[in-house]
């Protein structure tokens, strides 16, 4: 145990680890742990402050479709992000050419664009006569008289992927770069094709980076408000975050809003459980 | 594979490209029927008109203050915690670290209500009494806009991963020289941490600069607006003025792009070095 004494003030001694950890832990307790626990407690209180399941019954009655929709959107986009980000990050790792140079400059652009702006751009890009539909019509793939309607699950997914894939690539790319070339060369000299090098060497060796990036992507998608709010708004189904805003803005109903929040935690708990299981497994 | 990459490039660039071209279109062109990718007549005046609406100097000032303070304070406290988790041994270290990671997974939008209530009732500020009543607490204050973003599990995690890569001989040498843990952190580890500082700094700056919801619920006056909130100036119930909106959007994106170009070398090195190995 580290007992290095680093500060002495009028006879008071404080171990250095406490001094180093105290500010971050205090902020985390105040900004994460307290609100997290408070929202759970308040979700079980009715308007008079008594213990009740009323908020949950109302939530299940009104928002089951939206909870299922949020879960589907999140899983679908996390899986798609995983596939696309792995493809791009692996390509960056194994190929060094003009395309990778250009793409490695381009792919970071969405990182700088906030969701509020992404939503505005997507509103214009995915509109019935927006750039995407016009481009597809010019390629002869659709008729502009019957354009694709994208202000729904499809448009939302497009927006999420546009925003989240670069973030996942950024983290995975770092992990792939750490893998020594000798592993790839050894696999190739043992007769492995590029496909096997990717699936048997690169991806397994970078499993933790991939996991971290996907956990972050998953929880960001569950918690995003602006994009679903501005793209699909109050249409049914919508996401839990839009419902939370709706309950607070129109009804000042914090009980149901907190109960909806607890459903978000439950969705995130899936990844948290898997992540912590992996972490604890590693530390044993 | 090349096909996938080219498609990905198109999809990455297209909305960004659309933002730029829309920002250069005239209002008349946007209202006319039909859609063209390129503006028929380039109208740079949109940028001027957009910046003349509202108090943009004030909005930029607010965003700069909030972003700068958040980034600086979070770098200090996250690096300290990351160092403690990576290099010091104490009872409960692993459990505390893993518990702190849970914060990374809690969707911030779902904890906003309790945080808002807590800051609204913060004692002895904004007209509040000792029990947090009677005033507005930290609403409409820079402190209220900064506090929720200072500590982040991701920052602690990133620094911890970075500091794990250092050899133990570094600590041994410092100990032999009689350098305590705090001074070892300040004199040895901090100067060697440019990539980690640049990485977290760039990510934190992006997150804070781009934040929309928190300033929306924490501010009620025009003078406290940030640049993201100011975009609402071009949108009302009846109409969105796309050309001005996109002009303003392009302008508010520039500081982040400049920051990234400046920090890119360290940033990429930081991500690669930390490996974010989990």
């Amino acid at each position: 145990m580290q007992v290095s004494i680093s500060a002495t003030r009028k006879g008071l001694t404080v171990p250095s680890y406490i001094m180093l950890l105290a500010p971050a832990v205090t902020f985390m307790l105040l900004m994460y742990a307290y609100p997290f626990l408070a929202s759970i407690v308040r979700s079980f209180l009715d308007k008079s402050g008594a213990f009740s399941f009323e908020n949950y019954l109302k939530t299940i009655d009104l928002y089951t479709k939206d909870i299922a929709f949020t879960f589907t959107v999140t899983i679908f986009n996390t899986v798609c992000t995983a596939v696309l980000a792995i493809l791009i990050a692996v390509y960056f790792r194994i190929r060094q050419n003009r395309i990778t140079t250009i793409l490695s400059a381009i792919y970071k652009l969405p990182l700088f664009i906030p969701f509020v702006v992404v939503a505005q751009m997507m509103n214009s890009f995915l509109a019935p006569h927006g750039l995407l539909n016009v481009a597809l019509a010019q390629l002869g793939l659709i008729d502009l008289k019957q354009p694709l309607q994208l202000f729904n699950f499809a448009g939302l997914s497009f927006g999420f992927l546009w925003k989240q894939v670069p973030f996942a690539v950024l983290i995975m790319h770092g992990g792939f770069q750490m893998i020594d070339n000798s592993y790839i060369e050894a696999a190739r000299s043992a007769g492995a094709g590029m496909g096997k090098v990717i699936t048997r060497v690169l991806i397994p060796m970078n499993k933790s980076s991939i996991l971290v990036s996907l956990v972050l992507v998953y929880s960001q998608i569950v918690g995003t408000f602006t994009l679903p709010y501005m793209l699909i708004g109050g249409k049914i189904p919508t996401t839990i975050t839009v419902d939370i805003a709706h309950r607070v803005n129109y009804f000042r109903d914090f009980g149901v809003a907190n109960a909806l929040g607890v459903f978000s935690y439950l969705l995130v708990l899936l990844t948290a459980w898997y992540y912590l299981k992996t972490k604890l497994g590693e530390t044993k | 594979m090349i096909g996938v990459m080219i498609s990905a490039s198109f999809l990455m660039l297209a909305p960004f490209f659309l933002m730029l071209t829309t920002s250069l279109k005239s209002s008349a062109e946007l209202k006319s029927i039909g859609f063209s990718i390129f503006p028929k007549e380039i109208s740079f005046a949109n940028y001027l008109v957009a910046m003349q609406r509202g108090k943009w100097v004030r909005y930029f000032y607010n965003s700069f203050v909030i972003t700068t303070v958040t980034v600086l304070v979070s770098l200090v406290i996250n690096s300290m915690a990351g160092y403690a988790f990576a290099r010091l041994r104490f009872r409960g270290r692993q459990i505390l670290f893993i518990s702190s990671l849970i914060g990374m997974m809690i969707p911030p939008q779902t904890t906003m209500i309790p945080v808002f209530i807590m800051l609204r009732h913060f004692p002895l500020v904004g007209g509040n009494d000792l029990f947090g009543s009677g005033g507005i607490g930290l609403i409409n204050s820079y402190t209220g806009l900064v506090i929720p973003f200072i500590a982040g599990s991701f920052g602690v995690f990133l620094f911890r991963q970075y500091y794990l890569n250092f050899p133990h001989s570094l600590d041994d040498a410092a100990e032999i020289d009689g350098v305590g843990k705090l001074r070892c952190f300040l004199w040895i580890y901090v100067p060697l941490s440019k990539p980690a500082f640049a990485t977290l700094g760039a990510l934190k700056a992006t997150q804070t600069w781009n934040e929309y919801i928190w300033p929306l619920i924490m501010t009620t006056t025009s003078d406290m607006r940030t640049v993201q909130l100011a975009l609402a100036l071009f949108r009302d119930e009846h109409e969105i003025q796309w050309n001005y909106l996109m002009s303003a959007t392009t302008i508010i994106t520039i500081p982040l792009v400049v920051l990234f170009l400046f920090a890119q070398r360290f940033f990429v090195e930081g991500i690669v070095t930390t490996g974010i190995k989990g």
Side-chain angles (χ1 to χ4, degrees):
Chain A
M1 188 178 148
Q2 172 69 39
V3 285
S4 162
I5 306 304
S6 54
T8 304
R9 295 279 184 279
K10 295 176 186 173
L12 174 73
T13 57
V14 184
S16 49
Y17 71 88
I18 291 183
M19 293 182 67
L20 289 162
L21 284 174
V25 171
T26 307
F27 273 104
M28 276 194 237
L29 286 173
L30 285 174
M31 295 297 137
Y32 293 102
Y34 165 73
F36 175 67
L37 295 173
S39 68
I40 293 175
V41 169
R42 284 176 188 153
S43 71
F44 286 104
L45 302 178
D46 64 17
K47 279 173 187 155
S48 65
F51 179 85
S52 154
F53 287 106
E54 189 188 314
N55 296 322
Y56 284 92
L57 294 174
K58 203 168 181 179
T59 301
I60 290 165
D61 183 36
L62 294 175
Y63 299 114
T64 307
K65 263 190 187 171
D66 292 349
I67 293 165
F69 179 75
T70 308
F71 184 65
T72 313
V73 165
T74 308
I75 292 287
F76 176 79
N77 284 291
T78 307
V79 171
C80 289
T81 301
V83 172
L84 288 171
I86 289 171
L87 275 176
I88 295 171
V90 162
Y91 190 77
F92 285 166
R93 176 66 185 83
I94 59 177
R95 292 270 187 276
Q96 294 295 321
N97 53 34
R98 215 173 269 175
I99 292 176
T100 51
T101 312
I102 295 168
L103 191 62
S104 64
I106 290 171
Y107 92 90
K108 293 177 203 116
L109 281 176
L111 287 172
F112 305 111
I113 315 289
F115 268 117
V116 60
V117 175
V118 173
Q120 277 154 357
M121 288 196 301
M122 290 301 160
N123 247 322
S124 171
F125 180 66
L126 303 173
H129 289 86
L131 180 60
L132 187 64
N133 271 311
V134 169
L136 292 174
Q138 281 172 0
L139 291 170
L141 296 172
I142 59 159
D143 181 357
L144 259 190
K145 286 174 189 161
Q146 288 176 309
L148 297 176
Q149 298 299 325
L150 296 165
F151 292 150
N152 48 27
F153 182 91
L156 193 58
S157 298
F158 185 87
F160 275 130
L161 291 175
W162 192 79
K163 184 79 181 139
Q164 298 296 350
V165 168
F167 179 70
V169 171
L170 191 73
I171 293 176
M172 289 182 197
H173 182 49
F176 282 125
Q177 289 294 99
M178 287 187 79
I179 299 170
D180 200 276
N181 272 337
S182 59
Y183 290 104
I184 300 170
E185 282 155 17
R188 298 210 81 168
S189 58
M194 192 44 80
K196 277 198 173 165
V197 169
I198 293 168
T199 54
R200 302 272 175 88
V201 179
L202 290 175
I203 292 177
M205 289 187 77
N206 194 24
K207 205 175 104 186
S208 348
S209 282
I210 294 171
L211 178 67
V212 171
S213 64
L214 295 182
V215 165
L216 291 172
V217 165
Y218 181 96
S219 48
Q220 277 181 32
I221 294 175
V222 172
T224 302
F225 165 73
T226 325
L227 188 64
Y229 177 71
M230 292 176 79
L231 218 56
I232 56 176
K235 284 184 210 164
I236 296 172
T238 188
T239 60
I240 292 177
T241 46
V242 176
D243 291 331
I244 292 175
H246 185 77
R247 293 312 301 182
V248 172
N249 289 340
Y250 294 104
F251 301 103
R252 308 297 291 169
D253 185 354
F254 291 101
V256 171
N258 280 318
L260 282 162
V262 170
F263 278 100
S264 312
Y265 302 146
L266 291 175
L267 294 184
V268 174
L269 206 65
L270 283 173
T271 53
W273 171 77
Y274 179 68
Y275 182 75
L276 292 181
K277 199 177 128 216
T278 314
K279 281 290 305 173
L280 288 169
E282 278 172 10
T283 53
K284 272 178 190 168
Chain B
M1 196 73 167
I2 287 178
V4 173
M5 292 298 130
I6 290 170
S7 308
S9 305
F10 169 75
L11 292 175
M12 291 293 168
L13 268 185
F16 205 76
F17 175 74
L18 193 69
M19 177 176 88
L20 289 176
T21 54
T22 307
S23 75
L24 294 169
K25 286 180 180 175
S26 67
S27 300
E29 186 182 343
L30 284 168
K31 281 175 187 160
S32 65
I33 297 165
F35 174 84
S36 62
I37 293 170
F38 295 100
K40 285 171 190 157
E41 194 183 320
I42 291 176
S43 175
F44 285 109
N46 291 341
Y47 285 83
L48 204 61
V49 173
M51 288 297 114
Q52 281 169 345
R53 194 173 299 176
K55 297 182 262 184
W56 279 92
V57 174
R58 180 76 198 178
Y59 309 147
F60 269 99
Y61 174 78
N62 291 340
S63 285
F64 271 118
V65 169
I66 294 160
T67 305
T68 308
V69 175
T70 305
V71 169
L72 291 178
V73 180
S74 73
L75 287 179
V76 171
I77 68 172
N78 287 330
S79 61
M80 283 161 57
Y83 170 77
F85 281 129
R87 311 304 299 189
L88 306 186
R89 302 211 155 269
F90 53 90
R91 194 176 292 162
R93 181 180 71 149
Q94 205 61 24
I95 292 290
L96 192 60
F97 173 64
I98 290 174
S99 308
S100 76
L101 292 184
I102 293 174
M104 214 157 73
M105 297 158 198
I106 298 173
Q109 274 73 7
T110 55
T111 53
M112 272 182 182
I113 300 166
V115 173
F116 173 78
I117 293 170
M118 183 170 68
L119 298 185
R120 161 89 174 69
H121 294 290
F122 207 87
L124 304 174
V125 288
N128 279 347
D129 58 22
L130 189 62
F131 303 100
S133 302
I136 57 169
L138 291 171
I139 290 175
N140 282 332
S141 71
Y142 288 130
T143 313
L145 290 166
V146 164
I147 278 183
F149 301 102
I150 284 179
S153 307
F154 182 71
V156 174
F157 175 68
L158 189 132
F159 271 105
R160 185 243 188 196
Q161 297 307 108
Y162 186 76
Y163 290 135
L164 279 178
N165 291 324
F166 286 83
H168 284 288
S169 52
L170 203 62
D171 301 298
D172 297 340
E175 203 169 330
I176 290 165
D177 286 344
V179 177
K181 294 294 176 191
L182 279 182
R183 278 190 292 171
C184 178
F185 168 66
L186 284 173
W187 292 354
I188 299 172
Y189 282 88
V190 169
L192 293 171
S193 308
K194 273 185 201 161
F197 278 109
T199 307
L200 186 65
L203 290 174
K204 205 70 175 175
T206 308
Q207 180 202 7
T208 315
W209 184 267
N210 287 343
E211 183 57 36
Y212 177 74
I213 305 293
W214 187 246
L216 182 69
I217 62 174
M218 276 302 280
T219 59
T220 56
T221 62
S222 161
D223 274 352
M224 286 306 291
R225 270 186 188 155
T226 60
V227 288
Q228 303 298 337
L229 291 187
L231 292 177
L233 289 169
F234 309 106
R235 202 173 51 223
D236 61 34
E237 281 177 23
H238 310 290
E239 190 187 18
I240 298 175
Q241 293 166 311
W242 286 106
N243 46 350
Y244 302 138
L245 177 66
M246 291 304 168
S247 304
T249 303
T250 307
I251 291 173
I252 67 171
T253 309
I254 291 171
L256 289 180
V257 176
V258 171
L259 171 80
F260 188 82
L261 290 175
F262 180 70
Q264 188 168 23
R265 186 167 64 87
F266 294 118
F267 184 75
V268 174
E269 195 188 330
I271 288 283
V272 172
T273 319
T274 56
I276 314 201
K277 290 183 293 182

